[in-house]
Amino acid sequence: MERSPVAVVIVTYQSEQVIEGCLNSLPDDVKVIVVDNASADNTVSVVAATRRNAQIVRNPVNAGFAAGVNLGIKAAEGHDVLVLNADTRLHPGTIETLQAADKPITVPKILGEDGMVHFSLRNEPTLRTSLAEALLNGQRAGRMGLGATVVGLKHYEGSRSADWATGCAWLIKREVIEKHGLLDERYFLYSEEVEYMLRVGGVWFEPRATATHIGGESNTNPRLWSLLATNRVRLHRERYGRFAAVLMWLVVALNEALRLHKPKNRAAFKGLLTMRHWPEEVASAGPAYLCFSAQDWWYHNRAHSDFQLLRRVAKHRKVLLVNSIGLRMPSPGKSTQFLRRIFRKAMSVAKLVRRPIPETPNFYVMTPAPLPFYGKPWLRKLNSVLVRTQVRLVCFFLRMGTPVVVATIPTAWDVVEPMKHKGLIFNRSDRHSAFPEADQGTIAALENQLLSNSDTVLYVSRALQEEESALTGERAHFLDHGVDVDHFTRRDVLPADIASIPGPRIGFFGSLDDYLVDFDLIEKVAQEFPDASVVLIGDATCSMERYAKYPNVHWLDFRAYEQIPGYGSGFDVALMPWLDNDWIKHANPIKMKEYLALGLAVVSTDFPEVERYSDVIRIASGEADFIDQIRLTLKDGGLKTPAQRRAAVLTASWDSRARELMQIAEDR
């Protein structure tokens, strides 16, 4: 079988002193991708001058080593990936030798600047090895066979397997990336390579391939040593649970407490006492973001992508989120819940401008007073002037300067067309012209204006991206939905109302919209499984009285985003019962990843994006098959294990997606 070519991925941060040597050690014919994590020095200039054919990916924020590697892997599509630290120098023939080993992950022999072998191989970190290293120190524990470090030159003379290796140089096969995904970006720095290598099943050591690593900064830098120590605890927590993490915390704290005479150990001990759930990212300067959302923060489900993306962008940039200015004016007889919609929009406008997340002070939300009449040109013009005036006034008082504009709703086009911006991004999350209640001809025309005039068009549906490729060309980018993997973690204690519902529970959470959800199919499920409980959680846009005759159907109405993981944890089978229409064909439901992050067994109707998860989601071809798949799942627990289902979306964080958005918007 023909092997994939190799791409070298190097992540840099303030690396101007070391990157030239790394680049000069690489073969001339190898593809080189340098991902710079918002360096403030001359790193990028040195790269451009040293290796003119290197592909430079500018990360707008320092999101950490794993995030940088992931950007490089995405840029190296179709290639095996050799991950290198900027202070690593390859010896001649190393790439060919690593690739010839033909193993999932292969690592070379690592030498110091003095030519001495570094003991770079490791055993899996456990409480036993960590305690031994705390009491004896790493080298002595390793020589006695008690520690994690593989010590002794004899272990580095021949090829062998190891649980993991220090991550200054490692070759990952493309098939491994396709199977196991990307690195876990939550660690920021240290332990991300440990997690990935253990996830894959270990590494192969090839001593005929060699590299020199200058390194050593973590041994002298108190901040880095502190991060290394706390991430050891985080890794143990993710692999073995919270109780095991407490024990690991005690062992690691003991290690640092026994060496408090050194500054790095004092910093690590203090870091352990004050450690957060995950490390914080490093802030950086950049343009403000103005987002015209398709939803309303004050009454829609906050799982929507606009909210999730922009609140993460606000960790680094000032953000003003403009609540939906609508696709149509609700009208009696045509719109469901007419009066309720008018009232809640009025209440939203009355909130003016607010900062709804105390821990994210740069995230602002406003609701302009719109006149959502889009059928007549003069009314559209009047509405656009009204909304634009309000938005410009708020931007002025917030000192936003010239922002990046993100438009998700097509009716924003009339508002943003004359506005100055650093870039216009059309977040093509749905085909809004397919919305049943909209003036479809007018909305389609507005969509086309945004498609034609935006600097970038972001898609969450590959099917929709392909259909519109002739119009968008190279301006189109696929930006998949993310998931808050920490929030969507299975809960041991269920909310009282769902806990009181007898199992097994066949459940759905999310908006119960009549243009999305197949309510006839849900009724069929209720009929076919009288001994199971059908649990529906979400705001409904139509009457739910049809289910009153089924004692096993429990509609719990809307529940806050903060509560949803608790309710989802009570499902034995999670449903995605979608209608077969144009809207769903171009959809990429966020709940799909939320279900998987909870480890739930999922049964879905068929649509293009769900095929990407066919190894962990059962996909039905029709009503009868949908029922059969539920019956099978109740019997066998679903495809794969809960842990494997969660692992399928572990790297799909909203933070990662937000950084991709910023990288696309600002690297122009």
Side-chain angles (χ1 to χ4, degrees), residues 55-72:
Q55 180 179 349
I56 301 174
V57 179
R58 296 172 182 261
N59 199 346
V61 298
N62 180 9
F65 181 74
V69 170
N70 288 344
L71 281 175

Side-chain angles (χ1 to χ4, degrees), residues 466-494:
E466 178 62 27
E467 287 182 16
E468 298 176 346
S469 60
L471 185 59
T472 56
E474 294 183 355
R475 295 179 296 116
H477 294 268
F478 179 76
L479 181 65
D480 199 2
H481 281 320
V483 62
D484 190 336
V485 290
D486 290 327
H487 183 57
F488 284 90
T489 301
R490 185 178 288 272
R491 308 295 201 260
D492 294 327
V493 179
L494 303 181

